[in-house]
Amino acid sequence: MLILIANLGSTSFKYRLYRMDATGQEVLAKGGYERVTDYASVIDDALQTLQKDGVIASPSEIDAVGFKTVLGKDLSGCVWADETCVQALENFAAVAPAHNPPYANGIRQFAQSLPQARLVALFETAFYQWVPEPRSVYALPKSWRDIGIRRYGFHGASHKYVAERSAQLMGRDDVAASTASLYLQGPAPISGKPLRVVSCHLGGSSSVTGILNGVAIGTSMGFSPQSGLPQNNRVGELDSGALPYAMKVLGLSLEEAERQLTKESGLLGLSGVSNDVRDVNEASLQGNADATLAIDHMVDSIRHWIGAFAWQMGGLDALVFTAGIGENGHEVRTAVCEGLEEFGLVLDEARNQSCRAVEQEIQAEGSRIKVFVIPANEESLCPNKQ
Ligand code: ADP
């Protein structure tokens, strides 16, 4: 059986093609596109590439496509990526404008390009179903909460992989096994010392998640992906009082205010340079003070959330960096880990600087808290087996 996993990020499209049978699974091909604006054309290009490279004789050989869908309000977990799912994504597109439309369009595109394939969606919110209610609720009137306004959480596939892989790397196969079967069996009881991990998914979209014994106990992302850390061009955390104030004083319509918060804010808004941290870093190195402020604000926010979850969990055993910035941006990792000797975290700068998109420990000898770079693995069928 050939299964294609499609990961339609806010700025990227990544895919893996698996052959799966009773004896196991193998990756036949993987690929990806960055700085994507037209998802339909990259999907077609990917299918043509698989054919051109001789991986498949025809796209009609693909039996199923799996999607890492983002936010469907009442729809979560693993469901058929059918018209109901597309509708759920479109109905909540206003809440996740950078994420839901690429998936809704991508699912439609695949349904058209691969009419024979079964399409399946696993929602990013699924990993957060065990977050305690006091940490997922907002202090709002009941009528607001009744229409689904709460903290959902995103990047579930990425943080779940980090939960499982970091447990393996920490020698905690009991925790890794519990995480692997989380969606089928729920969290298994873990005896012995609790394993406390904070996972930093830093990419076009970023979030920090606290993970206790392989289960998410909280995350920086809230109701929408316009929350928590500053994102590439989205605001991140913002006081709710700022929106009506800016609308009144700047004379903005709601649509225009929303557009500015979701397209002209974040790293782009603060730096005035770019939504890509590589460009912002470059400008900062050349003395652009706004670019430096954007990077410093991002780092400050990451540290804020790491501290919050380490406190909630009663300590920290491992800190993990993943996704585009987390895997490649050694400057950001250095800044996030600075001055934490008192807490038992010391980075090995040489290891840190040489580590690019490979799985590696980057803490110094004697650091009580381990620091891992774990390349994001959001397209895996069974992450623990890859
Ligand atoms: P998405 O959230 O869209 O899936 P990725 O996880 O691929 O995105 O991360 C994309 C981001 O990673 C880019 O915006 C870029 O800022 C950052 N990035 C990629 N390569 C590097 C690099 N070599 N150094 C620093 N940041 C990088």
Side-chain angles (χ1 to χ4, degrees):
M1 178 175 204
L2 295 189
I3 303 176
L4 185 83
I5 303 294
N7 172 9
L8 294 140
S10 57
T11 60
S12 61
F13 167 52
K14 298 168 195 147
Y15 65 90
R16 283 188 200 186
L17 183 66
Y18 288 85
R19 184 193 304 284
M20 198 176 195
D21 60 28
T23 59
Q25 61 179 53
E26 65 173 317
V27 179
L28 298 183
K30 54 182 168 181
Y33 302 79
E34 279 192 80
R35 304 189 195 214
V36 175
T37 49
D38 177 4
Y39 287 87
S41 72
V42 290
I43 288 168
D44 262 348
D45 192 73
L47 292 174
Q48 277 170 28
T49 304
L50 288 170
Q51 205 171 349
K52 215 164 51 206
D53 293 350
V55 183
I56 50 175
S58 149
S60 64
E61 290 175 10
I62 296 174
D63 298 290
V65 185
F67 299 92
K68 196 177 59 66
T69 42
V70 177
L71 186 59
K73 199 178 169 194
D74 298 326
L75 205 55
S76 188
C78 192
V79 299
W80 293 118
D82 54 12
E83 203 43 41
T84 307
C85 174
V86 169
Q87 286 293 325
L89 292 169
E90 286 182 339
N91 289 342
F92 237 22
V95 185
H99 297 83
N100 275 11
Y103 271 108
N105 296 336
I107 290 169
R108 288 215 170 100
Q109 181 67 31
F110 273 107
Q112 206 177 326
S113 304
L114 304 176
Q116 80 292 344
R118 301 304 304 262
L119 309 183
V120 176
L122 174 63
F123 278 87
E124 289 285 59
T125 45
F127 190 46
Y128 300 100
Q129 55 193 287
W130 297 281
V131 171
E133 198 180 359
R135 212 170 292 134
S136 58
V137 76
Y138 291 117
L140 287 166
K142 190 168 179 306
S143 56
W144 288 51
R145 288 180 275 128
D146 284 349
I147 58 167
I149 300 182
R150 51 174 285 247
R151 194 180 280 281
Y152 287 97
F154 303 95
H155 299 132
S158 174
H159 290 300
K160 180 172 180 285
Y161 174 68
V162 164
E164 194 175 336
R165 186 66 193 138
S166 61
Q168 288 172 336
L169 294 169
M170 297 289 284
R172 293 295 300 269
D173 291 344
D174 56 338
V175 173
S178 167
T179 307
S181 58
L182 212 47
Y183 296 152
L184 295 175
Q185 291 166 11
I190 301 294
S191 53
K193 203 174 171 297
L195 180 62
R196 303 156 305 184
V197 176
V198 171
S199 169
C200 305
H201 176 107
L202 311 175
S205 297
S206 301
S207 65
V208 173
T209 292
I211 301 166
L212 181 62
N213 288 334
V215 181
I217 57 101
T219 186
S220 60
M221 282 281 203
F223 171 61
S224 76
Q226 277 76 254
S227 50
L229 308 185
Q231 314 291 339
N232 56 357
N233 58 359
R234 286 169 285 121
V235 64
E237 180 168 342
L238 180 74
D239 187 313
S240 63
L243 179 61
Y245 177 75
M247 286 172 65
K248 278 181 211 146
V249 176
L250 299 175
L252 304 175
S253 65
L254 181 59
E255 290 68 28
E256 178 56 15
E258 258 188 313
R259 195 190 65 75
Q260 293 187 12
L261 290 174
T262 57
K263 299 238 166 21
E264 294 181 353
S265 298
L267 283 180
L268 172 66
L270 259 187
S271 71
V273 172
S274 167
N275 66 1
D276 191 304
V277 88
R278 288 167 286 198
D279 304 332
V280 182
N281 249 336
E282 191 57 42
S284 168
L285 288 174
Q286 285 169 12
N288 181 324
D290 291 339
T292 305
L293 178 63
I295 301 278
D296 290 350
H297 174 64
M298 179 177 71
V299 168
D300 189 79
S301 181
I302 298 165
R303 289 170 64 97
H304 169 93
W305 284 101
I306 295 170
F309 295 128
W311 194 264
Q312 297 284 10
M313 294 189 290
L316 186 62
D317 302 300
L319 178 66
V320 181
F321 291 97
T322 190
I325 302 169
E327 292 164 30
N328 297 289
H330 65 85
E331 303 92 340
V332 169
R333 296 191 300 247
T334 299
V336 167
C337 296
E338 207 177 299
L340 297 176
E341 298 78 7
E342 278 275 306
F343 290 92
L345 191 160
V346 187
L347 214 55
D348 181 315
E349 241 339 294
R351 280 191 202 166
N352 176 42
Q353 286 188 22
S354 64
C355 179
R356 291 212 167 208
V358 289
E359 186 176 282
Q360 197 179 323
E361 282 184 29
I362 56 169
Q363 81 281 355
E365 292 301 320
S367 173
R368 189 187 56 73
I369 298 171
K370 302 253 191 213
V371 186
F372 297 107
V373 173
I374 297 181
N377 189 354
E378 299 172 284
E379 301 89 29
S380 187
L381 275 182
C382 301
N384 57 329
K385 299 203 177 103
Q386 286 303 309

PDB file of all heavy atoms in Angstrom, residues 7 9-12 14 34 155 201-206 232 267 275-278 281 323-325 328-331 356 376 378, ligand 1:
ATOM      1  N   ASN A   7       2.260  17.485   4.336  1.00  0.00           N
ATOM      2  CA  ASN A   7       2.372  18.468   5.413  1.00  0.00           C
ATOM      3  C   ASN A   7       2.380  19.860   4.792  1.00  0.00           C
ATOM      4  O   ASN A   7       3.389  20.293   4.239  1.00  0.00           O
ATOM      5  CB  ASN A   7       3.663  18.184   6.199  1.00  0.00           C
ATOM      6  CG  ASN A   7       3.981  19.262   7.218  1.00  0.00           C
ATOM      7  OD1 ASN A   7       3.169  20.151   7.463  1.00  0.00           O
ATOM      8  ND2 ASN A   7       5.163  19.173   7.800  1.00  0.00           N
ATOM      9  N   GLY A   9       2.510  23.353   5.500  1.00  0.00           N
ATOM     10  CA  GLY A   9       2.812  24.355   6.533  1.00  0.00           C
ATOM     11  C   GLY A   9       2.341  25.733   6.099  1.00  0.00           C
ATOM     12  O   GLY A   9       1.842  25.914   4.988  1.00  0.00           O
ATOM     13  N   SER A  10       2.526  26.703   6.989  1.00  0.00           N
ATOM     14  CA  SER A  10       2.061  28.058   6.652  1.00  0.00           C
ATOM     15  C   SER A  10       2.896  28.659   5.522  1.00  0.00           C
ATOM     16  O   SER A  10       2.436  29.544   4.808  1.00  0.00           O
ATOM     17  CB  SER A  10       2.110  28.964   7.877  1.00  0.00           C
ATOM     18  OG  SER A  10       3.414  29.001   8.411  1.00  0.00           O
ATOM     19  N   THR A  11       4.144  28.159   5.346  1.00  0.00           N
ATOM     20  CA  THR A  11       4.987  28.673   4.257  1.00  0.00           C
ATOM     21  C   THR A  11       5.646  27.541   3.466  1.00  0.00           C
ATOM     22  O   THR A  11       6.499  27.785   2.636  1.00  0.00           O
ATOM     23  CB  THR A  11       6.128  29.554   4.816  1.00  0.00           C
ATOM     24  OG1 THR A  11       6.941  28.758   5.698  1.00  0.00           O
ATOM     25  CG2 THR A  11       5.602  30.750   5.569  1.00  0.00           C
ATOM     26  N   SER A  12       5.278  26.315   3.786  1.00  0.00           N
ATOM     27  CA  SER A  12       6.007  25.202   3.161  1.00  0.00           C
ATOM     28  C   SER A  12       5.074  24.042   2.827  1.00  0.00           C
ATOM     29  O   SER A  12       3.953  23.965   3.334  1.00  0.00           O
ATOM     30  CB  SER A  12       7.091  24.703   4.129  1.00  0.00           C
ATOM     31  OG  SER A  12       6.482  24.229   5.324  1.00  0.00           O
ATOM     32  N   LYS A  14       5.716  19.848   2.639  1.00  0.00           N
ATOM     33  CA  LYS A  14       6.643  18.726   2.733  1.00  0.00           C
ATOM     34  C   LYS A  14       5.852  17.440   2.569  1.00  0.00           C
ATOM     35  O   LYS A  14       4.681  17.385   2.970  1.00  0.00           O
ATOM     36  CB  LYS A  14       7.348  18.732   4.100  1.00  0.00           C
ATOM     37  CG  LYS A  14       8.195  19.973   4.329  1.00  0.00           C
ATOM     38  CD  LYS A  14       8.633  20.102   5.770  1.00  0.00           C
ATOM     39  CE  LYS A  14       9.153  21.514   6.020  1.00  0.00           C
ATOM     40  NZ  LYS A  14       8.879  21.993   7.361  1.00  0.00           N
ATOM     41  N   GLU A  34       9.874  25.302  -0.037  1.00  0.00           N
ATOM     42  CA  GLU A  34       9.858  26.399   0.929  1.00  0.00           C
ATOM     43  C   GLU A  34       9.253  27.641   0.276  1.00  0.00           C
ATOM     44  O   GLU A  34       9.168  27.733  -0.942  1.00  0.00           O
ATOM     45  CB  GLU A  34      11.293  26.747   1.344  1.00  0.00           C
ATOM     46  CG  GLU A  34      11.865  25.822   2.405  1.00  0.00           C
ATOM     47  CD  GLU A  34      13.159  26.399   2.960  1.00  0.00           C
ATOM     48  OE1 GLU A  34      13.066  27.288   3.822  1.00  0.00           O
ATOM     49  OE2 GLU A  34      14.236  25.976   2.507  1.00  0.00           O
ATOM     50  N   HIS A 155       0.714  22.390  16.085  1.00  0.00           N
ATOM     51  CA  HIS A 155       1.986  21.660  15.913  1.00  0.00           C
ATOM     52  C   HIS A 155       1.963  20.338  16.681  1.00  0.00           C
ATOM     53  O   HIS A 155       2.998  19.884  17.167  1.00  0.00           O
ATOM     54  CB  HIS A 155       3.187  22.497  16.400  1.00  0.00           C
ATOM     55  CG  HIS A 155       3.365  23.787  15.659  1.00  0.00           C
ATOM     56  ND1 HIS A 155       3.573  24.982  16.306  1.00  0.00           N
ATOM     57  CD2 HIS A 155       3.371  24.063  14.342  1.00  0.00           C
ATOM     58  CE1 HIS A 155       3.692  25.955  15.420  1.00  0.00           C
ATOM     59  NE2 HIS A 155       3.569  25.411  14.214  1.00  0.00           N
ATOM     60  N   HIS A 201       9.114  24.209  18.970  1.00  0.00           N
ATOM     61  CA  HIS A 201       8.949  24.097  17.511  1.00  0.00           C
ATOM     62  C   HIS A 201       9.033  25.521  16.967  1.00  0.00           C
ATOM     63  O   HIS A 201       8.113  26.322  17.138  1.00  0.00           O
ATOM     64  CB  HIS A 201       7.592  23.463  17.184  1.00  0.00           C
ATOM     65  CG  HIS A 201       7.310  23.403  15.709  1.00  0.00           C
ATOM     66  ND1 HIS A 201       7.349  22.233  14.989  1.00  0.00           N
ATOM     67  CD2 HIS A 201       7.001  24.373  14.825  1.00  0.00           C
ATOM     68  CE1 HIS A 201       7.074  22.495  13.722  1.00  0.00           C
ATOM     69  NE2 HIS A 201       6.858  23.790  13.595  1.00  0.00           N
ATOM     70  N   LEU A 202      10.169  25.832  16.347  1.00  0.00           N
ATOM     71  CA  LEU A 202      10.420  27.202  15.882  1.00  0.00           C
ATOM     72  C   LEU A 202      10.583  27.188  14.372  1.00  0.00           C
ATOM     73  O   LEU A 202      11.594  26.721  13.849  1.00  0.00           O
ATOM     74  CB  LEU A 202      11.691  27.760  16.555  1.00  0.00           C
ATOM     75  CG  LEU A 202      11.770  27.599  18.084  1.00  0.00           C
ATOM     76  CD1 LEU A 202      13.115  28.070  18.616  1.00  0.00           C
ATOM     77  CD2 LEU A 202      10.632  28.338  18.764  1.00  0.00           C
ATOM     78  N   GLY A 203       9.544  27.655  13.682  1.00  0.00           N
ATOM     79  CA  GLY A 203       9.585  27.648  12.208  1.00  0.00           C
ATOM     80  C   GLY A 203       8.842  28.859  11.682  1.00  0.00           C
ATOM     81  O   GLY A 203       8.844  29.915  12.307  1.00  0.00           O
ATOM     82  N   GLY A 204       8.186  28.708  10.520  1.00  0.00           N
ATOM     83  CA  GLY A 204       7.335  29.772   9.998  1.00  0.00           C
ATOM     84  C   GLY A 204       6.257  30.082  11.032  1.00  0.00           C
ATOM     85  O   GLY A 204       5.909  31.226  11.285  1.00  0.00           O
ATOM     86  N   SER A 205       5.714  29.004  11.613  1.00  0.00           N
ATOM     87  CA  SER A 205       4.868  29.100  12.803  1.00  0.00           C
ATOM     88  C   SER A 205       5.658  28.496  13.948  1.00  0.00           C
ATOM     89  O   SER A 205       6.367  27.513  13.747  1.00  0.00           O
ATOM     90  CB  SER A 205       3.603  28.256  12.653  1.00  0.00           C
ATOM     91  OG  SER A 205       2.821  28.727  11.614  1.00  0.00           O
ATOM     92  N   SER A 206       5.503  29.057  15.140  1.00  0.00           N
ATOM     93  CA  SER A 206       6.285  28.557  16.271  1.00  0.00           C
ATOM     94  C   SER A 206       5.403  28.324  17.487  1.00  0.00           C
ATOM     95  O   SER A 206       4.421  29.037  17.697  1.00  0.00           O
ATOM     96  CB  SER A 206       7.369  29.569  16.641  1.00  0.00           C
ATOM     97  OG  SER A 206       8.225  29.812  15.540  1.00  0.00           O
ATOM     98  N   ASN A 232       6.008  34.213  11.945  1.00  0.00           N
ATOM     99  CA  ASN A 232       6.710  34.849  10.826  1.00  0.00           C
ATOM    100  C   ASN A 232       6.087  36.206  10.456  1.00  0.00           C
ATOM    101  O   ASN A 232       6.763  37.216  10.431  1.00  0.00           O
ATOM    102  CB  ASN A 232       6.808  33.918   9.612  1.00  0.00           C
ATOM    103  CG  ASN A 232       5.463  33.404   9.142  1.00  0.00           C
ATOM    104  OD1 ASN A 232       4.429  33.686   9.740  1.00  0.00           O
ATOM    105  ND2 ASN A 232       5.476  32.651   8.061  1.00  0.00           N
ATOM    106  N   LEU A 267       7.560  38.635  13.106  1.00  0.00           N
ATOM    107  CA  LEU A 267       8.940  39.018  12.751  1.00  0.00           C
ATOM    108  C   LEU A 267       8.941  40.096  11.682  1.00  0.00           C
ATOM    109  O   LEU A 267       9.745  41.031  11.723  1.00  0.00           O
ATOM    110  CB  LEU A 267       9.705  37.798  12.227  1.00  0.00           C
ATOM    111  CG  LEU A 267      10.202  36.767  13.249  1.00  0.00           C
ATOM    112  CD1 LEU A 267      10.932  35.650  12.535  1.00  0.00           C
ATOM    113  CD2 LEU A 267      11.102  37.418  14.289  1.00  0.00           C
ATOM    114  N   ASN A 275       9.675  38.146   6.722  1.00  0.00           N
ATOM    115  CA  ASN A 275       9.048  37.179   7.630  1.00  0.00           C
ATOM    116  C   ASN A 275       9.948  35.962   7.820  1.00  0.00           C
ATOM    117  O   ASN A 275       9.565  34.993   8.459  1.00  0.00           O
ATOM    118  CB  ASN A 275       7.666  36.757   7.104  1.00  0.00           C
ATOM    119  CG  ASN A 275       7.754  35.986   5.800  1.00  0.00           C
ATOM    120  OD1 ASN A 275       8.849  35.742   5.299  1.00  0.00           O
ATOM    121  ND2 ASN A 275       6.620  35.619   5.257  1.00  0.00           N
ATOM    122  N   ASP A 276      11.137  35.998   7.240  1.00  0.00           N
ATOM    123  CA  ASP A 276      12.055  34.856   7.319  1.00  0.00           C
ATOM    124  C   ASP A 276      13.203  35.217   8.253  1.00  0.00           C
ATOM    125  O   ASP A 276      13.898  36.218   8.040  1.00  0.00           O
ATOM    126  CB  ASP A 276      12.585  34.523   5.916  1.00  0.00           C
ATOM    127  CG  ASP A 276      13.313  33.184   5.908  1.00  0.00           C
ATOM    128  OD1 ASP A 276      14.264  33.013   6.703  1.00  0.00           O
ATOM    129  OD2 ASP A 276      12.927  32.315   5.112  1.00  0.00           O
ATOM    130  N   VAL A 277      13.411  34.382   9.263  1.00  0.00           N
ATOM    131  CA  VAL A 277      14.395  34.714  10.293  1.00  0.00           C
ATOM    132  C   VAL A 277      15.812  34.822   9.710  1.00  0.00           C
ATOM    133  O   VAL A 277      16.642  35.557  10.244  1.00  0.00           O
ATOM    134  CB  VAL A 277      14.317  33.686  11.451  1.00  0.00           C
ATOM    135  CG1 VAL A 277      15.180  32.499  11.222  1.00  0.00           C
ATOM    136  CG2 VAL A 277      14.653  34.336  12.777  1.00  0.00           C
ATOM    137  N   ARG A 278      16.055  34.150   8.582  1.00  0.00           N
ATOM    138  CA  ARG A 278      17.392  34.261   7.962  1.00  0.00           C
ATOM    139  C   ARG A 278      17.657  35.689   7.513  1.00  0.00           C
ATOM    140  O   ARG A 278      18.727  36.248   7.760  1.00  0.00           O
ATOM    141  CB  ARG A 278      17.512  33.308   6.756  1.00  0.00           C
ATOM    142  CG  ARG A 278      17.610  31.866   7.158  1.00  0.00           C
ATOM    143  CD  ARG A 278      17.409  30.938   5.993  1.00  0.00           C
ATOM    144  NE  ARG A 278      15.997  30.881   5.583  1.00  0.00           N
ATOM    145  CZ  ARG A 278      15.467  29.929   4.847  1.00  0.00           C
ATOM    146  NH1 ARG A 278      16.232  28.964   4.377  1.00  0.00           N
ATOM    147  NH2 ARG A 278      14.203  29.920   4.549  1.00  0.00           N
ATOM    148  N   ASN A 281      17.952  37.989  10.636  1.00  0.00           N
ATOM    149  CA  ASN A 281      19.286  37.808  11.237  1.00  0.00           C
ATOM    150  C   ASN A 281      20.343  38.588  10.484  1.00  0.00           C
ATOM    151  O   ASN A 281      21.183  39.259  11.068  1.00  0.00           O
ATOM    152  CB  ASN A 281      19.686  36.327  11.171  1.00  0.00           C
ATOM    153  CG  ASN A 281      19.713  35.713  12.550  1.00  0.00           C
ATOM    154  OD1 ASN A 281      19.868  36.416  13.543  1.00  0.00           O
ATOM    155  ND2 ASN A 281      19.561  34.409  12.603  1.00  0.00           N
ATOM    156  N   ALA A 323      12.162  22.103  14.078  1.00  0.00           N
ATOM    157  CA  ALA A 323      11.640  22.904  12.946  1.00  0.00           C
ATOM    158  C   ALA A 323      12.718  23.870  12.419  1.00  0.00           C
ATOM    159  O   ALA A 323      13.806  23.956  12.996  1.00  0.00           O
ATOM    160  CB  ALA A 323      10.357  23.640  13.301  1.00  0.00           C
ATOM    161  N   GLY A 324      12.377  24.583  11.331  1.00  0.00           N
ATOM    162  CA  GLY A 324      13.372  25.348  10.561  1.00  0.00           C
ATOM    163  C   GLY A 324      14.334  26.177  11.392  1.00  0.00           C
ATOM    164  O   GLY A 324      15.555  26.062  11.255  1.00  0.00           O
ATOM    165  N   ILE A 325      13.810  27.011  12.272  1.00  0.00           N
ATOM    166  CA  ILE A 325      14.674  27.878  13.087  1.00  0.00           C
ATOM    167  C   ILE A 325      15.330  27.058  14.203  1.00  0.00           C
ATOM    168  O   ILE A 325      16.532  27.198  14.463  1.00  0.00           O
ATOM    169  CB  ILE A 325      13.859  29.047  13.692  1.00  0.00           C
ATOM    170  CG1 ILE A 325      13.179  29.874  12.590  1.00  0.00           C
ATOM    171  CG2 ILE A 325      14.742  29.937  14.554  1.00  0.00           C
ATOM    172  CD1 ILE A 325      12.148  30.888  13.097  1.00  0.00           C
ATOM    173  N   ASN A 328      18.177  24.883  12.727  1.00  0.00           N
ATOM    174  CA  ASN A 328      19.286  25.557  12.025  1.00  0.00           C
ATOM    175  C   ASN A 328      19.838  26.795  12.720  1.00  0.00           C
ATOM    176  O   ASN A 328      20.986  27.157  12.497  1.00  0.00           O
ATOM    177  CB  ASN A 328      18.821  25.996  10.628  1.00  0.00           C
ATOM    178  CG  ASN A 328      18.443  24.815   9.773  1.00  0.00           C
ATOM    179  OD1 ASN A 328      19.290  24.052   9.344  1.00  0.00           O
ATOM    180  ND2 ASN A 328      17.142  24.646   9.537  1.00  0.00           N
ATOM    181  N   GLY A 329      19.002  27.442  13.515  1.00  0.00           N
ATOM    182  CA  GLY A 329      19.386  28.751  14.051  1.00  0.00           C
ATOM    183  C   GLY A 329      20.180  28.640  15.342  1.00  0.00           C
ATOM    184  O   GLY A 329      19.619  28.795  16.436  1.00  0.00           O
ATOM    185  N   HIS A 330      21.481  28.417  15.225  1.00  0.00           N
ATOM    186  CA  HIS A 330      22.262  28.230  16.451  1.00  0.00           C
ATOM    187  C   HIS A 330      22.310  29.498  17.290  1.00  0.00           C
ATOM    188  O   HIS A 330      22.413  29.456  18.513  1.00  0.00           O
ATOM    189  CB  HIS A 330      23.667  27.696  16.137  1.00  0.00           C
ATOM    190  CG  HIS A 330      24.531  28.638  15.355  1.00  0.00           C
ATOM    191  ND1 HIS A 330      25.257  29.617  15.958  1.00  0.00           N
ATOM    192  CD2 HIS A 330      24.771  28.747  14.024  1.00  0.00           C
ATOM    193  CE1 HIS A 330      25.919  30.300  15.028  1.00  0.00           C
ATOM    194  NE2 HIS A 330      25.632  29.797  13.844  1.00  0.00           N
ATOM    195  N   GLU A 331      22.175  30.676  16.631  1.00  0.00           N
ATOM    196  CA  GLU A 331      22.190  31.936  17.393  1.00  0.00           C
ATOM    197  C   GLU A 331      20.969  32.010  18.316  1.00  0.00           C
ATOM    198  O   GLU A 331      21.077  32.437  19.466  1.00  0.00           O
ATOM    199  CB  GLU A 331      22.154  33.156  16.446  1.00  0.00           C
ATOM    200  CG  GLU A 331      23.285  33.220  15.426  1.00  0.00           C
ATOM    201  CD  GLU A 331      22.905  32.560  14.098  1.00  0.00           C
ATOM    202  OE1 GLU A 331      21.951  31.742  14.067  1.00  0.00           O
ATOM    203  OE2 GLU A 331      23.579  32.844  13.102  1.00  0.00           O
ATOM    204  N   ARG A 356      23.406  21.399  12.635  1.00  0.00           N
ATOM    205  CA  ARG A 356      22.442  21.910  11.662  1.00  0.00           C
ATOM    206  C   ARG A 356      21.546  20.781  11.189  1.00  0.00           C
ATOM    207  O   ARG A 356      22.006  19.869  10.510  1.00  0.00           O
ATOM    208  CB  ARG A 356      23.154  22.492  10.450  1.00  0.00           C
ATOM    209  CG  ARG A 356      23.856  23.740  10.849  1.00  0.00           C
ATOM    210  CD  ARG A 356      23.949  24.756   9.793  1.00  0.00           C
ATOM    211  NE  ARG A 356      24.379  25.953  10.494  1.00  0.00           N
ATOM    212  CZ  ARG A 356      24.115  27.167  10.130  1.00  0.00           C
ATOM    213  NH1 ARG A 356      23.399  27.377   9.083  1.00  0.00           N
ATOM    214  NH2 ARG A 356      24.544  28.188  10.808  1.00  0.00           N
ATOM    215  N   ALA A 376      12.454  18.036  12.813  1.00  0.00           N
ATOM    216  CA  ALA A 376      11.001  17.833  12.811  1.00  0.00           C
ATOM    217  C   ALA A 376      10.646  16.631  11.951  1.00  0.00           C
ATOM    218  O   ALA A 376      11.243  16.399  10.900  1.00  0.00           O
ATOM    219  CB  ALA A 376      10.309  19.086  12.285  1.00  0.00           C
ATOM    220  N   GLU A 378       7.186  15.530  10.960  1.00  0.00           N
ATOM    221  CA  GLU A 378       5.726  15.653  11.014  1.00  0.00           C
ATOM    222  C   GLU A 378       5.040  14.795   9.965  1.00  0.00           C
ATOM    223  O   GLU A 378       3.823  14.721   9.931  1.00  0.00           O
ATOM    224  CB  GLU A 378       5.325  17.109  10.786  1.00  0.00           C
ATOM    225  CG  GLU A 378       5.884  18.041  11.839  1.00  0.00           C
ATOM    226  CD  GLU A 378       5.647  19.490  11.494  1.00  0.00           C
ATOM    227  OE1 GLU A 378       6.346  20.030  10.619  1.00  0.00           O
ATOM    228  OE2 GLU A 378       4.755  20.086  12.090  1.00  0.00           O
TER     229      GLU A 378
HETATM  230  P1  ADP B   1       6.807  25.905   8.483  1.00  0.00           P
HETATM  231  O1  ADP B   1       6.400  26.420   9.831  1.00  0.00           O
HETATM  232  O2  ADP B   1       6.218  26.699   7.381  1.00  0.00           O
HETATM  233  O3  ADP B   1       6.620  24.428   8.325  1.00  0.00           O
HETATM  234  P2  ADP B   1       9.705  25.426   8.725  1.00  0.00           P
HETATM  235  O4  ADP B   1       9.636  24.591   9.949  1.00  0.00           O
HETATM  236  O5  ADP B   1      10.250  24.792   7.495  1.00  0.00           O
HETATM  237  O6  ADP B   1       8.355  26.190   8.347  1.00  0.00           O
HETATM  238  O7  ADP B   1      10.604  26.686   9.096  1.00  0.00           O
HETATM  239  C1  ADP B   1      10.750  27.730   8.193  1.00  0.00           C
HETATM  240  C2  ADP B   1      11.597  28.794   8.849  1.00  0.00           C
HETATM  241  O8  ADP B   1      12.873  28.235   9.228  1.00  0.00           O
HETATM  242  C3  ADP B   1      11.910  29.901   7.885  1.00  0.00           C
HETATM  243  O9  ADP B   1      10.980  30.950   8.079  1.00  0.00           O
HETATM  244  C4  ADP B   1      13.288  30.328   8.304  1.00  0.00           C
HETATM  245  O10 ADP B   1      13.111  31.498   9.090  1.00  0.00           O
HETATM  246  C5  ADP B   1      13.830  29.239   9.195  1.00  0.00           C
HETATM  247  N1  ADP B   1      15.099  28.708   8.677  1.00  0.00           N
HETATM  248  C6  ADP B   1      15.318  27.869   7.634  1.00  0.00           C
HETATM  249  N2  ADP B   1      16.639  27.648   7.450  1.00  0.00           N
HETATM  250  C7  ADP B   1      17.297  28.365   8.396  1.00  0.00           C
HETATM  251  C8  ADP B   1      18.653  28.587   8.725  1.00  0.00           C
HETATM  252  N3  ADP B   1      19.637  28.001   8.031  1.00  0.00           N
HETATM  253  N4  ADP B   1      18.943  29.390   9.778  1.00  0.00           N
HETATM  254  C9  ADP B   1      17.965  29.983  10.472  1.00  0.00           C
HETATM  255  N5  ADP B   1      16.639  29.824  10.206  1.00  0.00           N
HETATM  256  C10 ADP B   1      16.312  29.042   9.187  1.00  0.00           C
END
